[in-house]
Amino acid sequence: MEHSVEPQIVLLGSHLTKQFYGNVVLEDLSISCKQGTVLALVGENGAGKSTLMNILSGGLQPDSGTISYKGKPIKFKNPQMAKTMGIAFVHQELSLLPELTVGENMLLGQEPTCLGLIQHRKLHERAREALDDTGYAIDVYRMVKDLTPAEKQMVEIAKSWMDRPTLLILDEPTSSLSKVETEHLFQIIRTLKAQGTSIILITHRMEEIFQICDEAVVLKDGRMTKTEKVSNLTRDDLIQAMVGREVTQTFPPKRSLGTPCEPMLILKGIRDGHKLYDINLEVPKGMIIGIGGLEGQGQRQLARGLFGIDPFSEGEFILEGERITLRSPNQAMKRGFAYIPDDRKAEGLILPLSVRENMSLLNFDKISSKGILRKDEERKEIERGIARLGIKTSSPDLSVQLLSGGNQQKVIFSKWLSKDPKLMILHEPTRGVDVQSKLEIYRLLRELTERGVSILVFSSEMIELIGLSDRVYVMYEGRIMGQLDGEDATEENIMQLSSGQSLTNRQEGGKDVSRIHV
């Protein structure tokens, strides 16, 4: 009888402990990464995942504990030393320089030269070869500032592959990727795995763990609460280990579609002269309307147009029965609109400012008098916002960039809720957010609808789209391909519409689904 050979341990962290200013963020934690395997590292934001990965890749030094690499004790003095030895870390915060090309970013610091001059043609040829190895097609001469978030993420991953690492650490690599792009990334991971590369995948998406990972490690409050082969785990096992209790219901109950609701917003024949064509949709009062589809089908343009960032060129924009025109975000805010963008760090927050300053940005009319800030009133509003959303911060004066992703997102929500909006436009509202924060955001959104707030959610996460939305519209190549209500909002139907196929008059197991609007 043959016995399977256990993969060799590439990297071993033993009894690692780390604290900042007396706050213990890792406590006696041990972890092993095996050759040719994908290890999922999961846990709420603030659980210690990033600290652990920074220790394993040389960005931080542990207060106690040891690290062994390829069977030998080692101390990585800095990330460059770890990189030289074969450990690559693709951070969630991308490091690309926007004013350089894709190729220049990929070979930054490794440019081929002749007589002291950079050989730009050879540089871009090498970048193209590296991209060909990953199977990702993108023009190496494109400026990074012109790329979508998804394209930037794939370039960052391809850049990390330039040095052919032994261990590749990916921090939330799919947070800005569509379903198709995610599957492409997973194919790259499978190829690397077959070549013996070890991969650590930090992710909040449950389905990815079961789709691509071999083992899972769960952290909570700096401690390991579970380590197990993925084949022995269930989704509930992971969630319980992350939040410390059993989660019986992810999404709050939906509104009944049979309940008559007046329309808050109606779009008729909307175009932008570039990406959007004949958009028709309706957002009833007090409902959550989801917008789905593969990334890059016009969702970003529609969301930004609705908030007046990139105004529409044609069509009717009807708000509470009145035809209006929005030419700026300021006009949208005066109409009671709120907008939470898909890139919170670039567009939703001012990172160097404090939690208090970010939360007060839109609220000066409430907390000032004759242009003078009323400190006591500001403090009350900030305390109210922090308590309402359960924002975890040691002080309102802490820089917002030091908060976890989930708490940063809550700061953005709190900022907008201070305006008492009647229509919220949310673009990827839980991207890069931990499980517990997701549950809190879902409950918050449903509570807002019960007060009559209308919500438009643009989400590439299928489970979120189906579980949260009262109705789903699906986009394809700048058009609305279909509207799915109630039980018709299934993954199969959404994917069929996302690929450009109509559901009209299609028979499914004897069930006529021709009633689905297209």
Side-chain angles (χ1 to χ4, degrees), residues 70-249:
K70 296 183 178 179
K72 297 180 180 179
I74 194 168
K75 182 178 181 180
F76 295 123
K77 296 180 180 179
N78 51 53
Q80 186 59 40
M81 177 181 175
K83 182 180 178 183
T84 301
M85 297 192 69
I87 298 176
F89 189 179
V90 180
H91 295 263
Q92 188 176 2
E93 311 305 325
L94 304 183
S95 61
L96 302 177
L97 301 179
E99 297 300 329
L100 298 182
T101 66
V102 169
E104 289 167 339
N105 268 279
M106 290 180 63
L107 276 85
L108 192 63
Q110 305 177 58
E111 299 89 347
T113 60
C114 181
L115 301 177
L117 299 176
I118 295 175
Q119 297 177 290
H120 287 277
R121 182 173 179 178
K122 183 177 289 187
L123 178 151
H124 287 91
E125 285 176 354
R126 288 186 183 176
R128 176 71 272 161
E129 290 170 1
L131 283 164
D132 287 343
D133 284 346
T134 67
Y136 187 63
I138 190 170
D139 184 357
V140 293
Y141 286 95
R142 281 183 67 185
M143 300 296 291
V144 162
K145 66 181 180 181
D146 297 327
L147 303 183
T148 66
E151 289 172 329
K152 291 176 184 176
Q153 181 69 72
M154 294 300 286
V155 169
E156 189 78 70
I157 293 169
K159 176 183 175 182
S160 72
W161 180 237
M162 292 288 298
D163 297 320
R164 302 300 189 269
T166 303
L167 172 63
L168 178 61
I169 302 171
L170 303 175
D171 189 357
E172 293 287 346
T174 65
S175 62
S176 60
L177 303 186
S178 68
K179 191 177 182 71
V180 170
E181 289 163 330
T182 296
E183 183 50 47
H184 183 89
L185 172 60
F186 286 175
Q187 189 54 52
I188 295 172
I189 289 176
R190 293 185 189 102
T191 300
L192 300 182
K193 175 181 170 181
Q195 295 173 359
T197 304
S198 303
I199 296 163
I200 299 178
L201 178 67
I202 302 175
T203 181
H204 291 307
R205 294 181 173 179
M206 295 289 107
E207 66 273 17
E208 295 179 0
I209 297 170
F210 294 97
Q211 185 177 352
I212 196 68
C213 299
D214 302 292
E215 298 181 10
V217 168
V218 183
L219 301 188
K220 178 174 173 58
D221 298 330
R223 297 183 179 184
M224 184 183 295
T225 58
K226 186 174 285 292
T227 176
E228 185 62 81
K229 289 184 177 180
V230 171
S231 58
N232 297 333
L233 293 170
T234 66
R235 187 174 185 273
D236 289 341
D237 291 335
L238 288 173
I239 294 178
Q240 187 170 349
M242 278 188 274
V243 303
R245 58 182 172 80
E246 186 175 357
V247 179
T248 55
Q249 187 165 0

Side-chain angles (χ1 to χ4, degrees), residues 288-457:
I288 299 177
I289 302 301
I291 305 292
L294 303 177
E295 190 157 322
Q297 303 303 307
Q299 298 96 320
R300 180 173 173 82
Q301 289 77 8
L302 180 56
R304 291 169 66 84
L306 284 166
F307 196 61
I309 301 173
D310 299 318
F312 302 130
S313 59
E314 298 179 41
E316 292 185 73
F317 195 127
I318 303 169
L319 180 67
E320 294 183 299
E322 177 189 357
R323 182 171 179 175
I324 67 170
T325 300
L326 294 182
R327 292 296 175 189
S328 70
N330 188 47
Q331 290 181 349
M333 286 189 286
K334 288 180 179 179
R335 290 284 185 173
F337 287 26
Y339 174 62
I340 296 183
D342 56 335
D343 190 341
R344 62 173 167 266
K345 295 184 183 297
E347 300 178 352
L349 297 167
I350 301 179
L351 294 178
L353 298 187
S354 67
V355 172
R356 173 182 56 81
E357 290 167 322
N358 272 276
M359 290 175 65
S360 297
L361 282 173
L362 303 178
N363 210 21
F364 281 108
D365 55 339
K366 286 186 181 180
I367 60 177
S368 64
S369 177
K370 297 180 180 180
I372 300 175
L373 183 67
R374 294 181 292 169
K375 291 283 189 179
D376 288 345
E377 192 62 32
E378 182 191 34
R379 179 180 53 79
K380 291 177 184 177
E381 286 291 324
I382 297 305
E383 289 176 351
R384 189 179 299 123
I386 288 175
R388 181 181 184 183
L389 279 86
I391 299 171
K392 295 179 181 178
T393 176
S394 59
S395 166
D397 293 314
L398 185 71
S399 174
V400 76
Q401 63 190 339
L402 300 178
L403 299 188
S404 67
N407 284 299
Q408 287 178 347
Q409 195 74 343
K410 290 178 185 179
V411 169
I412 300 175
F413 269 96
S414 181
K415 175 180 70 174
W416 282 108
L417 291 180
S418 69
K419 300 287 291 181
D420 296 320
K422 57 186 176 183
L423 175 66
M424 298 192 73
I425 303 159
L426 314 180
H427 195 183
E428 304 291 356
T430 64
R431 173 172 285 173
V433 170
D434 63 271
V435 171
Q436 183 61 41
S437 294
K438 280 187 179 184
L439 300 180
E440 293 170 3
I441 289 173
Y442 296 154
R443 284 194 291 269
L444 170 66
L445 296 182
R446 190 53 67 184
E447 288 171 6
L448 290 171
T449 64
E450 292 170 356
R451 300 175 200 166
V453 179
S454 302
I455 299 174
L456 197 57
V457 176

